[in-house]
Amino acid sequence: MSKPDILLFESYEAWDMEPMQSNFTVHLFPSSGICTDLDQDTRNKITAFAFKGHSKLGAEVIDAFPNLALIANYGVGYDTIDIAYASSKGIKVTNTPDVLTNDVADLAIGMLLAFNRGIVGAEAWVRSGKWAADGAYPLQRSLSGTAVGIAGLGRIGRAVAKRLQGFDTDIHYYSRTQKETPGWTYHEDLVDLAKAVDVLVVAVSGGPDTAQIISKEVINAVGADGLLVNIARGSTVDEEALIHSLKANAIRGFASDVFMNEPNIDERFTKLDNVLLQPHQSSATVETRKSMGSLQRDNLLAFFASRPLVTPVN
Ligand code: 8YV
């Protein structure tokens, strides 16, 4: 029996390519970025996408593949996929939840500790000889015993909170509805949450519902003594207002793994001292990336075997 034809977006590690090629006839998304650069015959044969990355996947791409029936996303977030349009055409979408939760939460804690304790600057202090020349590194800030707010108490938000319990922090959260929690304080308003805490961690899903929910008002409420940490999506933050506040020291700092227009982020971030910048790498460990690839393939295999999808989105 011939292998089903799938279209691969972006590059994959050998540990993904090998099983992908043994199960499917793999076509690569054209480097030009123009779907019609693939001939019509090939496009007719493709029934599933192994989607990866953060480019927009809407009507224009979907319509170029008349027999498309599945979009298997490599990632938990699917904010760049037009789910409503895919659904209207009967196209199923899957994602890779759970397998990356721990790594994403770990990086949030890592950034929080690195920022509060000045780990990056302190390392440079040692390397540059400033320790010997100028003496002790300037005093930094505690994480233990502070109040931390989490915007979005889904899988990842909860995993962040669970880790923070180990630091004896006072945990507050914002979510659309109040959740069952072990004594964490619920805020139905994000500005109230930001006012109540020393650190605000953004862990909501991306997409139109959360666009710029970290607004100028929220940033002001985080305040000159507060740190903002983002492990969600760049789209959740009003970056213009944030850069303005960072420049004016109206907020203590910003530690982030995600930005608008990745990887071509707003250059002004790179000129600031009160930021810690990461290249959208929260799920980028060997262990987690193997699990993400495997779950993406499990969805593709389930689909082609007419079994229920493992982690459907629509
Ligand atoms: C990316 C992510 O999927 O899971 C998500 O939502 O943002 C990441 O894990 C990964 O960078 C591959 O694009």
Side-chain angles (χ1 to χ4, degrees), residues 67 101 136 180 225 227 243 262 304:
N67 297 311
T101 301
E180 285 279 318
D225 215 26
L227 170 67
I243 289 170
E262 294 168 8
F304 287 116

Side-chain angles (χ1 to χ4, degrees), residues 10 52-54 74-77 96 100 233 280 283 289 292:
E10 302 213 348
K52 188 181 188 188
H54 304 280
Y74 179 97
V76 64
T96 60
L100 45 69
R233 285 289 184 262
H280 200 147
S283 70
R289 287 294 167 88
M292 288 166 70

Side-chain angles (χ1 to χ4, degrees), residues 31 118 143 210:
S31 54
L143 169 59
T210 58

Side-chain angles (χ1 to χ4, degrees), residues 176-190:
R176 270 173 303 199
T177 54
Q178 188 160 3
K179 313 274 188 208
E180 285 279 318
T181 66
W184 307 338
T185 308
Y186 175 60
H187 298 258
E188 51 179 39
D189 181 74
L190 255 179

Side-chain angles (χ1 to χ4, degrees), residues 279-293:
H280 200 147
Q281 62 123 339
S282 62
S283 70
T285 63
V286 173
E287 295 85 351
T288 288
R289 287 294 167 88
K290 283 189 173 171
S291 305
M292 288 166 70

Side-chain angles (χ1 to χ4, degrees), residues 9-92:
F9 291 66
E10 302 213 348
S11 61
Y12 283 80
E13 302 285 344
W15 61 65
D16 286 321
M17 283 312 281
E18 281 158 22
M20 203 86 95
Q21 276 164 332
S22 70
N23 286 292
F24 313 112
T25 302
V26 173
H27 303 271
L28 301 181
F29 190 79
S31 54
S32 61
I34 303 166
C35 319
T36 46
D37 283 357
L38 287 172
D39 64 75
Q40 185 70 49
D41 259 12
T42 306
R43 283 188 278 129
N44 289 347
K45 280 192 274 181
I46 291 169
T47 49
F49 288 171
F51 185 64
K52 188 181 188 188
H54 304 280
S55 58
K56 196 169 152 31
L57 180 45
E60 199 191 331
V61 181
I62 291 173
D63 287 344
F65 297 85
N67 297 311
L68 181 67
L70 175 71
I71 299 170
N73 185 41
Y74 179 97
V76 64
Y78 44 85
D79 47 305
T80 59
I81 304 174
D82 189 339
I83 303 288
Y85 190 69
S87 302
S88 77
K89 299 200 75 176
I91 297 167
K92 304 300 287 178

